[in-house]
Amino acid sequence: MQKLRRSKCDNLLTLLSYLPRGISRAIVPAAMALTACMPPSAVQFDEPYAAAPADHAVDWHDYQTKATTGTQPPPLSSRSHEESPIDTKLTYDLPALVDLALHANPETRVSWEEAKAAAARLEMNRSAWYPTLTAMAFGQYFKNSFPIPGGALVSHGYSSLGSLNLAWTLFDFGRREAMVDAGAQRLSAANFAFNRKHQEIAYRVATGFFAYQAALAKVTAAEQTFEAARAGSASVQAKLEKGLATRPDLLLAIQEQAKASYDLQDTRSSVIQTHADLTSSLGISPSYSLQLIDLSKLPLPAGLVQSVEKIVDQALEQRPDLMARLAELRAREAEVKKARAEFWPKFSLGGSLGNQAWRNVHTNPPGNESYSASNLVGTAMLSMEWTLFDGFERSNAVHEAEARKEASKAQLEALRLEIMRDIWKAYADTKTALEKREFALALLKAAEESYAATQESYTHGFSTVIELLSAQKDLARARYTEIDSRATLLRSAATLVYASGGQSRNATD
């Protein structure tokens, strides 16, 4: 059998690891949660259970890491699923939220159990290499009566047999090798799928976290707008009392204050919705209250420093779901080999060893003659089984296996094209988000200056209330635009990391 080969595993820095130092402390560990150290594509496992992931919250790594580095696999999590996973004294940043999700979200346990099931199936396939030993025991009591002149001959007794039977397939032209290879490939595919599930959950947590933080920031912005609107109404009321404003001016100011109050309640409702979405990604109840850091104070990526072509190349080499699809293709190829091997005979060794006991007693006519025997019995044989004709069942099985292999090959190509499309789109979205961020900051600065100037001008009677309210609306929109641009940039960068499989380097600085 082939040994499981260790694939090259670099220090997996992600796109977001090249952000400025401030944001990297919050985002890089989450991006690292999107990464996975990629095992080989064609493997044969000596210890399949050790090759499965050791914990539902820890990425799968090559089981030979233990032998090469001297480290032990991570222990099973001691966290009880019935206990509350929330630490009320902890202020969660993004890496802590990702870690919480990997422990609490049941989807990680689903993919973990599926990987363990694949390891068990591999071990079941490998059992075909071993002989089968069965024990058999047989016993009976009998009573016979035969008519004879003057009466009947009656006898009774018992017999027993105990044996051990051995069956061992010696040579089958590659059937077992193909089954074991297919099982090993599917275990590899399950492990890659396990890693991709971790990346998916980390991505969902990151995007949910960004959306929730944006909703909180909009509440703050809405509160500022409401306070400005209320101050504006008070200012118009004061002018009206001095005869420097009209009743319609006051009504417009009151209308704008009511609109600001409505927007404030709407943003508070969005906080509840985004909080529910975030807790769903975390795998906890929405009733839990989380203390989170304020992401709005952290710096953002300054730009993209890696070409989209290089990111695509790295993704095609390392994305877990693509590696899983490739492993499935290798498993299909092994199934084709097994189907073709069915045309050849199988050679097996069989045998049995046991003891046979027998006793017979004549009870009539008198004399009670008794007979008994006990002897060791054994057999050994070498057999060949060769199906010569089966109504073309084996031929059709080969055709089916080949068709499934070609379908798997087409699925692999379709996923490759999908990955390329997703990366190009995420790259373009990130690039656009970086540019829009600059315009959003400029817009906010201009709106703040315009509102301050208009408010000063209105105080001295040089501007109308309509101009003041218009500047106030523009400032509110600019605040929302700045918040959306921040959230969009973070979400686009996270999407680019997720689309690339978390393996791209030097993408942003």
Side-chain angles (χ1 to χ4, degrees):
M1 295 185 184
Q2 297 178 343
K3 295 289 185 179
L4 176 63
R5 297 173 299 170
R6 178 66 175 162
S7 64
K8 181 179 180 182
C9 181
D10 297 325
N11 295 325
L12 300 178
L13 301 178
T14 62
L15 292 173
L16 296 181
S17 64
Y18 291 88
L19 302 182
R21 181 173 300 176
I23 195 171
S24 66
R25 288 195 295 266
I27 300 181
V28 167
M32 292 298 289
L34 299 179
T35 66
C37 183
M38 298 303 161
S41 58
V43 294
Q44 199 70 275
F45 294 101
D46 290 337
E47 300 178 7
Y49 291 102
D55 188 354
H56 71 276
V58 180
D59 278 356
W60 167 65
H61 296 277
D62 186 346
Y63 84 108
Q64 287 188 345
T65 302
K66 179 177 66 175
T68 57
T69 65
T71 59
Q72 296 296 323
L76 294 179
S77 174
S78 60
R79 187 191 300 269
S80 172
H81 302 307
E82 284 73 22
E83 296 177 359
S84 171
I86 303 299
D87 186 351
T88 57
K89 299 180 180 179
L90 177 65
T91 298
Y92 285 88
D93 57 7
L94 185 53
L97 283 178
V98 171
D99 180 70
L100 172 62
L102 295 181
H103 283 89
N105 196 312
E107 294 181 29
T108 62
R109 295 194 294 276
V110 171
S111 57
W112 184 38
E113 296 297 340
E114 288 176 349
K116 287 167 40 178
R121 286 193 297 270
L122 171 58
E123 192 67 10
M124 290 169 58
N125 291 341
R126 294 182 63 180
S127 65
W129 285 97
Y130 298 96
T132 301
L133 186 64
T134 58
M136 184 182 70
F138 170 78
Q140 70 172 356
Y141 170 82
F142 61 87
K143 182 176 181 180
N144 298 318
S145 177
F146 301 97
I148 59 175
L153 176 62
V154 180
S155 66
H156 65 90
Y158 64 86
S159 65
S160 63
L161 173 66
S163 66
L164 293 175
N165 300 320
L166 174 72
W168 194 358
T169 300
L170 300 178
F171 188 67
D172 60 359
F173 289 90
R175 290 175 175 86
R176 292 170 295 181
E177 291 93 337
M179 290 174 59
V180 171
D181 186 48
Q185 295 294 341
R186 289 203 165 92
L187 172 56
S188 181
N191 289 335
F192 282 121
F194 174 79
N195 284 355
R196 187 58 176 174
K197 177 58 68 174
H198 276 204
Q199 294 180 356
E200 176 189 339
I201 290 176
Y203 171 69
R204 281 158 43 189
V205 170
T207 54
F209 177 68
F210 299 148
Y212 180 66
Q213 290 289 344
L216 291 176
K218 286 185 177 180
V219 169
T220 301
E223 290 174 346
Q224 294 174 345
T225 301
F226 175 74
E227 291 299 327
R230 185 165 60 179
S233 297
S235 177
V236 175
Q237 178 69 36
K239 282 196 171 188
L240 178 63
E241 294 175 353
K242 296 178 181 179
L244 300 177
T246 63
R247 179 84 179 161
D249 290 342
L250 178 60
L251 294 176
L252 285 175
I254 294 175
Q255 175 183 333
E256 190 61 28
Q257 181 180 346
K259 176 64 167 57
S261 178
Y262 176 86
D263 292 340
L264 176 58
Q265 298 305 318
D266 188 53
T267 56
R268 287 173 176 170
S269 175
S270 297
V271 169
I272 297 176
Q273 296 174 6
T274 54
H275 178 268
D277 293 338
L278 177 58
T279 54
S280 176
S281 299
L282 294 172
I284 62 176
S285 171
S287 62
Y288 284 118
S289 179
L290 296 170
Q291 298 182 19
L292 303 177
I293 64 169
D294 184 4
L295 193 62
S296 63
K297 297 180 180 179
L298 298 178
L300 297 175
L304 294 164
V305 298
Q306 192 178 55
S307 66
V308 64
E309 291 83 2
K310 189 172 182 179
I311 298 176
V312 168
D313 291 341
Q314 293 175 350
L316 294 180
E317 292 176 358
Q318 300 171 338
R319 214 173 102 160
D321 52 345
L322 187 65
M323 296 299 102
R325 195 64 60 84
L326 179 61
E328 179 63 25
L329 175 59
R330 298 291 180 258
R332 294 295 186 186
E333 292 173 348
E335 289 177 349
V336 172
K337 293 180 182 178
K338 179 181 180 299
R340 289 174 177 170
E342 293 294 338
F343 284 95
W344 298 97
K346 291 192 294 185
F347 294 91
S348 303
L349 176 66
S352 64
L353 180 65
N355 185 74
Q356 184 178 24
W358 175 80
R359 178 180 176 83
N360 186 23
V361 179
H362 291 176
T363 58
N364 188 35
N368 294 327
E369 297 182 2
S370 176
Y371 303 93
S372 63
S374 176
N375 63 303
L376 187 68
V377 296
T379 61
M381 62 180 178
L382 180 66
S383 62
M384 181 192 75
E385 180 183 354
W386 195 354
T387 301
L388 300 179
F389 183 72
D390 58 0
F392 306 104
E393 179 180 354
R394 290 170 295 176
S395 298
N396 290 323
V398 171
H399 294 327
E400 180 185 8
E402 290 178 340
R404 293 185 181 276
K405 182 194 74 173
E406 293 300 321
S408 183
K409 187 183 299 183
Q411 292 172 350
L412 178 65
E413 178 63 17
L415 180 58
R416 187 183 72 87
L417 295 174
E418 180 182 344
I419 290 173
M420 295 173 62
R421 180 204 65 193
D422 291 345
I423 291 177
W424 275 87
K425 183 177 183 301
Y427 189 90
D429 289 344
T430 304
K431 187 175 181 180
T432 302
L434 285 167
E435 296 173 351
K436 292 173 67 174
R437 174 65 182 170
E438 297 298 326
F439 291 115
L441 291 174
L443 176 62
L444 178 59
K445 182 178 179 181
E448 289 174 342
E449 293 176 351
S450 175
Y451 176 72
T454 304
Q455 188 178 38
E456 180 70 17
S457 177
Y458 179 78
T459 302
H460 293 84
F462 298 109
S463 297
T464 65
V465 67
I466 295 179
E467 292 173 334
L468 177 63
L469 296 179
S470 178
Q472 183 177 306
K473 292 178 182 178
D474 291 341
L475 177 57
R477 284 194 296 267
R479 285 170 176 163
Y480 285 163
T481 300
E482 186 276 332
I483 295 170
D484 287 336
S485 69
R486 173 184 291 271
T488 299
L489 177 54
L490 291 172
R491 185 170 55 251
S492 299
T495 302
L496 181 56
V497 173
Y498 177 68
S500 65
Q503 298 300 314
S504 299
R505 299 183 176 210
N506 303 324
T508 61
D509 61 6

